[in-house]
Amino acid sequence: MIRIGCHLSSSNGYLAMGKEAVKIGANTFQFFTRNPRGGKAKELNLADVEAYLAFAGEHGIGQILAHAPYTLNACAKDAGLRQFAYDTMRDDLSRLKHLPEAMYNFHPGSHVKQGEETGISYISDLLDRINEHQYETVILLETMAGKGTELGRSFEELARILDSVEDSSRLGVCFDTCHVFDGGYDIVHHLDQVLEEFDQVIGLERLKAVHLNDSKNELGSHKDRHEKIGEGQIGLRAFANLVTHPKLKDLPFYLETPNDLEGYQREIALLREKAGE
Ligand code: FE
Ligand code: FE
Ligand code: ZN
């Protein structure tokens, strides 16, 4: 059985997300650690976490993914913004101690015309400082579409970040299908080659999660506009290949398509069917 879920709103807590996941046929989910546009995280409710963990155990939910807010830019030009990125990440990771099997995903950041070199060194510096605190949570860098000065637009850029971090043993990569396609990797016609390239440049052992999104725009567009599964330029057949690919099928899949809960429920059922369930 594939591990699949979608992005859920965290505003009603963990147990509420767990119940929602079960309702729509999911066995995992993703959520924002706080308002995606920034702001303070709500006080962690430990009773809610306990209740969620018991519920998740009973219903086979696991490998949930916490997503950092979009405002976190580890390679911002302003030192205060970089400090904010560090403080936010630390705060998120200290809360995630209570959710043992959750992973933490973040966007590497935008170098805002300082150049890739500088951007990459800021990101690896931040991760080095984070590592000093020995969090056990696995941290994922997301593959990006390359909009503006976004870093992580190519496997090479992600590899350079990972190689620059002193201890990268708890770092991985989240493969976003819309972003990778917008970044110019043809997962529609050449999925095998793309994964081969990922393996050679980054190493498949780093690949820990997949974001399943169709794309409104064509290959290499660098736009980052998600579309419903099968309604964009990637198309349903490619998603059937993705969820059944021997190198991907055991990873957790998270939908971030423009949908309400019913839409997610339909997409989960559709992809389970494509996976032969
Ligand atoms: Fe993301
Ligand atoms: Fe994503
Ligand atoms: Zn996106």
Side-chain angles (χ1 to χ4, degrees), residues 86-243:
Y86 169 78
D87 291 340
T88 302
M89 197 179 275
R90 270 202 67 187
D91 185 49
D92 284 348
L93 290 167
S94 55
R95 296 151 156 279
L96 289 171
K97 280 183 182 163
H98 299 282
L99 290 148
E101 43 153 43
M103 295 188 290
Y104 183 65
N105 174 64
F106 79 109
H107 296 177
S110 293
H111 65 70
V112 283
K113 296 191 180 137
Q114 301 172 95
E116 281 113 59
E117 216 57 57
T118 307
I120 287 167
S121 75
Y122 281 146
I123 300 166
S124 61
D125 284 353
L126 174 130
L127 291 169
D128 282 337
R129 287 173 68 202
I130 289 290
N131 272 338
E132 287 169 21
H133 300 276
Q134 299 186 315
Y135 296 108
E136 290 197 5
T137 304
V138 171
I139 302 175
L140 307 183
L141 293 105
E142 183 166 350
T143 57
M144 299 310 293
K147 212 168 59 174
T149 62
E150 247 170 21
L151 285 170
R153 64 203 285 147
S154 65
F155 299 159
E156 282 77 10
E157 275 185 5
L158 289 170
R160 279 166 67 198
I161 298 168
L162 291 164
D163 289 344
S164 308
V165 178
E166 231 167 278
D167 174 12
S168 62
S169 59
R170 306 209 58 81
L171 296 178
V173 172
C174 174
F175 186 102
D176 185 306
T177 57
C178 169
H179 299 175
V180 166
F181 183 76
D182 281 20
Y185 295 93
D186 190 355
I187 55 173
V188 177
H189 304 99
H190 303 290
L191 180 60
D192 280 331
Q193 287 93 318
V194 171
L195 293 175
E196 186 59 45
E197 193 177 334
F198 186 101
D199 194 28
Q200 269 159 28
V201 177
I202 300 177
L204 274 172
E205 68 284 355
R206 293 268 186 208
L207 184 51
K208 304 287 187 199
V210 179
H211 282 167
L212 291 177
N213 302 305
D214 212 326
S215 175
K216 283 195 195 296
N217 297 290
E218 68 276 21
L219 179 71
S221 62
H222 301 296
K223 290 253 174 67
D224 190 6
R225 297 280 310 282
H226 301 187
E227 184 50 284
K228 294 189 176 81
I229 299 300
E231 295 184 20
Q233 299 296 315
I234 298 177
L236 186 55
R237 189 200 289 255
F239 287 100
N241 291 337
L242 282 154
V243 298

